[in-house]
Amino acid sequence: MSVDILTPSLTESWDQPEAWKLANYEARGGYQAARKALAMTPADVITLVKDSGLRGRGGAGFPTGVKWSFIPQNNPKPKYLVINCDESEPGTCKDVPMLMATPHTLVEGIIISCFAVNAHNAFIYVRGEVLHVIRRLQQAVAEAYQAGYLGKGILGTDYDLDIVVHAGAGAYICGEETALLDSLEGRRGQPRLRPPFPAVAGLYASPTVVNNAESIASVPAIVANGADWYKLMGTEKSAGPTIYSLSGHITRPGQYEAPLGTTFRTLLDLAGGIRAGHQLKFFTPGGSSTPILTPEHLDVPLDYEGVAAAGSILGTKALQTYDETVSVVRTTLRYTEFYKHESCGKCTPCREGSWWLVQTLRNLEAGRGSEGDVEKLLDVCDNVSMKSFCTLADGFVANITSSIKYFRDEFEAGYHTPAWELFPYEKSIYFPYEREKLIVNEVADK
Amino acid sequence: MSQHDEHHFVSAYDDGSRIDTTDRQTNITPETIAEMRQIVARYPEPRSALLPMLHLVQSVDGRISDAGVNACADILGISTAQVNGVATFYTMYKRRPAGEHHIGVCTTTLCAVMGGDVLLAQMKDKLGIDEDETTPDGKFSLERLECNAACDFAPVMMVNWEFMDCMTPEKANELIDKLAAGKEVRSTRGARLTSWKQAERVLAGFPDGLADEGPTAGPASLEGLRVAREHGWRAPKAPSVPQIEEGGSK
Ligand SMILES: Cc1cc2nc3c(=O)[nH]c(=O)nc-3n(C[C@H](O)[C@H](O)[C@H](O)COP(=O)(O)O)c2cc1C
Ligand code: SF4
Ligand code: FES
């Protein structure tokens, strides 16, 4: 059976007026999947999600149903579900528009997921810097309580469920699931040693599932339409539709929901290609922590296996795109500055390594580098990678080493020539004009 | 403080002593304390309330005040050092009074390259302050932001944590002029702008009733859906939808 090139499922109602309201969500069949799930056994819900092949959309791609089955049901402690909406990985911008447009999809997904793992409390951890998303989530949760979808004895069953919307306070590392749990416990957000894994000892040392917002928002459609429906889309090992986020020097940046395994060439075509008069130089497949790819990778299937085979990671499917005007030394430096700023400071290789890498890269950007600086960068990377406590460090190493792999001569040019002379920075400036006009009109007066 | 101070080692650990304890001014009242207790009641364990409580402190005092830290420590039964340790870890907590309007310019790589660096320089110039400073009249504060999950709308600015998408130098100037003149400004995909303090109150979990303002999604969010509609593309139909048992129970 052939499937369309774009398969809007999560994004299907984003162009509908006031899609965020409960009444409109119900009019589209909302909360029917929750009813259906609550008439099943929890074990059957887990099996269904396992069978669908849904894999975590937060970056690592771990099978969601399998994760749920790790929750030890013989443990007498309460079970918790924590939704990761920290969305701070540079390039990643899918959960925020999803939660602004259709917060009830997440709430319904939480009901089903909590029921499946026998949790009675869920927390939605949203980064604090997205006020309107938080407003919409708060309202959706309040509406769901009023309608009897949350609280005591929901949907006419004897099952109780409470959801708390929790705003973070500005720290990328809190997207890492164990740092998130520390943050949710009211502490500095620093990763924890694993094991124990959250499934065994997570929030308040109790069994906890941490899932990305897109993962959980995918669940209602799976319950409503079945595992086989879900597997119609995507590839054998990477099932389902997913939101690809295209940003940068392209004609129409935006969110494109397509089956996993779609190529960047296809997506780029739909987005009108690279901005007029320019060519693709490089892109990230899944946010800045994934090794960069180049035009030779345009036909790589963007699924977990395809991107891995090309030497990178599917990650969050955040396709940041840069054209030939851009200095790779400049982007590498700026990404590394991000990680230096966001390093939680817990372990030495990451905390000090990011600082040294920034110093060296600044010299190279300014054309003040010294012979051997590229080797020095690679050497420091080698001392950081796999020797740090969490994968934040592997993320910045991945960006640096892949950038040097494809564009080594640009780094070496930094021994004598500033990056801004080789790539005048004003040439990279880009304000997509049509969309700009659109937004001026949009300024939503209702 | 500057990220670009090249010869001075800046530890990833912020220096907690930079909470300005000489400024004793506070607006915390018994009502604030009561609201803090309401926040605590939301969680299975009290300390989970600390982040929202600190947002509430900022909504009242315009910064993390010494009095606010003491109140949090008191209510949660933890030390002020523990509260300070948390308050200094997260960038959204301000140790000096922020402005009525808090302006953020994203300068992470993608936004920076597309114009964010230019916008930040222009905002410094326009407001006459550096990053992490507040204008003498208390009207504006300025911050360099990390990626705000809106890269498809780059370059991005935020005012009081509301999106100001697809910025240009002209639009940024107009935005500041309007705010300075006290005119009403709307987020490109959010509500009419209130103030940074009011935003902090919402983050503490006290809704302001503005959720229904603004569109369902901004234009960039809809690009893929628009193309799909143009071609009549959709997700496949469900093979055979099993009937839903109404009001089913376990
Ligand atoms: C530095 C760092 C930042 C992360 N940020 C996020 C994030 O913002 N959102 C997210 O869902 N996962 C993030 N993750 C991944 C989480 O640790 C975790 O794998 C994920 O939330 C699991 O959900 P999933 O199985 O549904 O993908 C991050 C990981 C690291 C190491
Ligand atoms: S790798 Fe970096 S972010 Fe992760 S624990 Fe170590 S210092 Fe913190
Ligand atoms: S880089 Fe600016 S919003 Fe992502």
Side-chain angles (χ1 to χ4, degrees):
Chain A
M1 176 171 170
S2 91
V3 167
D4 290 341
I5 294 175
L6 293 177
T7 48
S9 170
L10 289 166
T11 57
E12 168 64 31
S13 60
W14 288 11
D15 60 355
Q16 301 302 306
E18 305 194 319
W20 65 87
K21 288 190 170 168
L22 176 64
N24 296 334
Y25 185 63
E26 286 176 324
R28 299 192 303 270
Y31 289 103
Q32 294 299 329
R35 278 181 208 284
K36 188 173 165 186
L38 264 60
M40 296 164 62
T41 66
D44 285 347
V45 178
I46 295 183
T47 305
L48 173 66
V49 172
K50 268 190 196 166
D51 289 347
S52 74
L54 171 65
R55 295 173 67 170
R57 304 292 195 237
F62 194 83
T64 304
V66 176
K67 185 183 275 190
W68 296 357
S69 68
F70 290 159
I71 294 294
Q73 291 302 338
N74 57 0
N75 185 323
K77 288 190 173 177
K79 325 284 181 288
Y80 295 105
L81 173 69
V82 177
I83 307 299
N84 191 342
C85 317
D86 194 54
E87 188 151 85
S88 311
E89 165 81 9
T92 312
C93 48
K94 62 188 176 73
D95 298 337
V96 156
M98 176 181 77
L99 299 174
M100 195 180 305
T102 56
H104 280 288
T105 314
L106 179 67
V107 174
E108 184 172 14
I110 292 173
I111 294 172
I112 299 167
S113 313
C114 280
F115 177 74
V117 301
N118 191 24
H120 298 282
N121 291 88
F123 297 89
I124 305 177
Y125 187 106
V126 202
R127 67 180 298 179
E129 304 97 324
V130 290
L131 175 63
H132 208 55
V133 172
I134 290 163
R135 284 197 185 107
R136 294 249 167 107
L137 279 168
Q138 287 171 341
Q139 177 167 298
V141 168
E143 283 180 315
Y145 268 105
Q146 268 174 11
Y149 296 131
L150 294 176
K152 293 248 173 284
I154 67 175
L155 289 159
T157 69
D158 57 1
Y159 179 64
D160 305 337
L161 177 61
D162 287 299
I163 298 183
V164 174
V165 178
H166 183 95
Y172 164 62
I173 190 59
C174 290
E176 195 282 333
E177 58 184 16
T178 61
L180 186 151
L181 294 175
D182 260 37
S183 178
L184 187 51
E185 290 181 3
R187 297 165 204 281
R188 301 166 80 98
Q190 292 186 310
R192 298 176 179 175
L193 188 65
R194 284 175 298 189
F197 289 92
V200 175
L203 187 66
Y204 314 131
S206 296
T208 304
V209 172
V210 184
N211 268 131
N212 171 257
E214 186 189 344
S215 312
I216 295 300
S218 301
V219 170
I222 293 172
V223 170
N225 301 324
D228 290 337
W229 166 79
Y230 201 68
K231 285 189 291 194
L232 289 174
M233 293 163 278
T235 52
E236 197 196 330
K237 289 186 177 150
S238 302
T242 197
I243 305 174
Y244 292 101
S245 308
L246 275 64
S247 59
H249 288 129
I250 51 193
T251 308
R252 288 185 297 276
Q255 307 300 319
Y256 294 75
E257 190 174 5
L260 277 167
T262 304
T263 65
F264 190 38
R265 188 185 300 283
T266 300
L267 294 169
L268 199 51
D269 273 354
L270 299 176
I274 299 293
R275 64 172 169 156
H278 295 272
Q279 306 92 46
L280 173 64
K281 181 167 179 179
F282 70 96
F283 65 102
T284 66
S288 57
S289 303
T290 61
I292 65 166
L293 296 175
T294 61
E296 67 183 277
H297 302 110
L298 272 168
D299 296 308
V300 168
L302 298 174
D303 59 15
Y304 298 98
E305 293 69 33
V307 179
S312 187
I313 306 170
L314 182 66
T316 58
K317 307 148 287 135
L319 298 142
Q320 298 173 292
T321 310
Y322 297 91
D323 71 18
E324 84 292 347
T325 62
V326 175
S327 155
V328 178
V329 175
R330 181 187 185 198
T331 59
T332 307
L333 167 61
R334 194 59 66 92
Y335 282 130
T336 312
E337 284 178 329
F338 168 85
Y339 292 99
K340 168 181 165 281
H341 185 247
E342 296 300 329
S343 166
C344 81
K346 179 166 180 148
C347 62
T348 315
C350 169
R351 185 186 64 238
E352 311 297 316
S354 58
W355 189 86
W356 282 107
L357 290 163
V358 163
Q359 302 312 303
T360 310
L361 285 162
R362 276 188 191 154
N363 286 339
L364 291 176
E365 185 196 35
R368 287 191 271 105
S370 329
E371 205 70 45
D373 272 357
V374 173
E375 285 73 25
K376 188 157 99 193
L377 285 175
L378 292 172
D379 189 43
V380 175
C381 283
D382 191 46
N383 281 303
V384 170
S385 178
M386 313 300 282
K387 296 178 185 71
S388 302
F389 199 76
C390 83
T391 46
L392 178 141
D394 301 322
F396 66 74
V397 166
N399 180 264
I400 295 170
T401 52
S402 61
S403 299
I404 293 176
K405 173 174 160 195
Y406 296 115
F407 301 100
R408 189 181 182 109
D409 51 338
E410 280 184 37
F411 290 85
E412 285 170 352
Y415 300 164
H416 41 76
T417 313
W420 51 81
E421 278 178 20
L422 297 169
F423 298 92
Y425 289 177
E426 64 277 9
K427 294 206 169 134
S428 302
I429 293 177
Y430 177 41
F431 306 119
Y433 177 69
E434 282 180 359
R435 292 170 50 247
E436 192 188 324
K437 225 172 41 186
L438 247 175
I439 283 177
V440 173
N441 298 336
E442 178 80 21
V443 177
D445 270 301
K446 291 193 292 129
Chain B
M1 186 109 204
S2 159
Q3 277 194 18
H4 294 284
D5 186 346
E6 299 194 23
H7 304 290
H8 177 64
F9 180 84
V10 185
S11 168
Y13 280 104
D14 258 327
D15 176 1
S17 67
R18 277 190 291 118
I19 285 191
D20 188 355
T21 47
T22 57
D23 181 356
R24 314 292 301 180
Q25 208 261 325
T26 182
N27 299 315
I28 291 179
T29 61
E31 274 119 78
T32 319
I33 303 293
E35 286 181 337
M36 285 184 170
R37 294 194 194 280
Q38 280 177 38
I39 298 175
V40 171
R42 289 180 206 147
Y43 296 91
E45 296 198 8
R47 187 163 172 173
S48 280
L50 182 51
L51 264 62
M53 286 165 83
L54 289 169
H55 281 303
L56 189 70
V57 168
Q58 299 207 113
S59 77
V60 174
D61 276 348
R63 68 186 196 290
I64 299 295
S65 59
D66 207 27
V69 169
N70 288 329
C72 291
D74 227 38
I75 290 172
L76 298 176
I78 58 178
S79 69
T80 52
Q82 286 172 307
V83 177
N84 278 322
V86 170
T88 53
F89 184 82
Y90 297 92
T91 53
M92 287 180 81
Y93 298 132
K94 307 299 174 201
R95 291 146 239 172
R96 306 248 186 281
E100 178 189 343
H101 295 299
H102 185 62
I103 312 291
V105 183
C106 178
T107 58
T108 302
T109 317
L110 189 109
C111 278
V113 161
M114 288 176 72
D117 279 358
V118 174
L119 289 169
L120 180 66
Q122 178 185 308
M123 287 296 100
K124 286 185 189 173
D125 204 45
K126 175 104 182 153
L127 298 171
I129 51 175
D130 211 334
E131 54 201 78
D132 300 322
E133 289 181 357
T134 303
T135 54
D137 63 1
K139 193 98 186 163
F140 295 103
S141 44
L142 181 64
E143 183 181 354
R144 159 200 293 277
L145 300 182
E146 305 287 20
C147 178
N148 218 94
C151 318
D152 48 342
F153 293 93
V156 172
M157 284 175 54
M158 306 295 290
V159 180
N160 309 332
W161 306 120
E162 288 267 26
F163 287 110
M164 300 306 296
D165 297 314
C166 298
M167 272 293 140
T168 64
E170 303 77 53
K171 282 201 278 181
N173 274 348
E174 197 187 316
L175 170 67
I176 300 298
D177 289 340
K178 281 194 175 154
L179 289 173
K183 293 201 180 128
E184 183 163 284
V185 177
R186 280 166 190 272
S187 156
T188 49
R189 51 181 162 133
R192 82 190 97 111
L193 300 182
T194 55
S195 69
W196 175 74
K197 279 188 182 175
Q198 280 169 265
E200 282 293 320
R201 188 171 165 77
V202 177
L203 300 187
F206 298 98
D208 60 3
L210 298 180
D212 288 336
E213 292 197 1
T216 300
S221 309
L222 296 175
E223 288 292 0
L225 190 57
R226 198 180 51 71
V227 176
R229 297 252 191 268
E230 243 171 58
H231 290 82
W233 292 334
R234 47 178 63 226
K237 286 214 168 33
S240 63
V241 189
Q243 276 315 296
I244 288 151
E245 296 140 56
E246 276 302 322
S249 67
K250 279 204 282 188

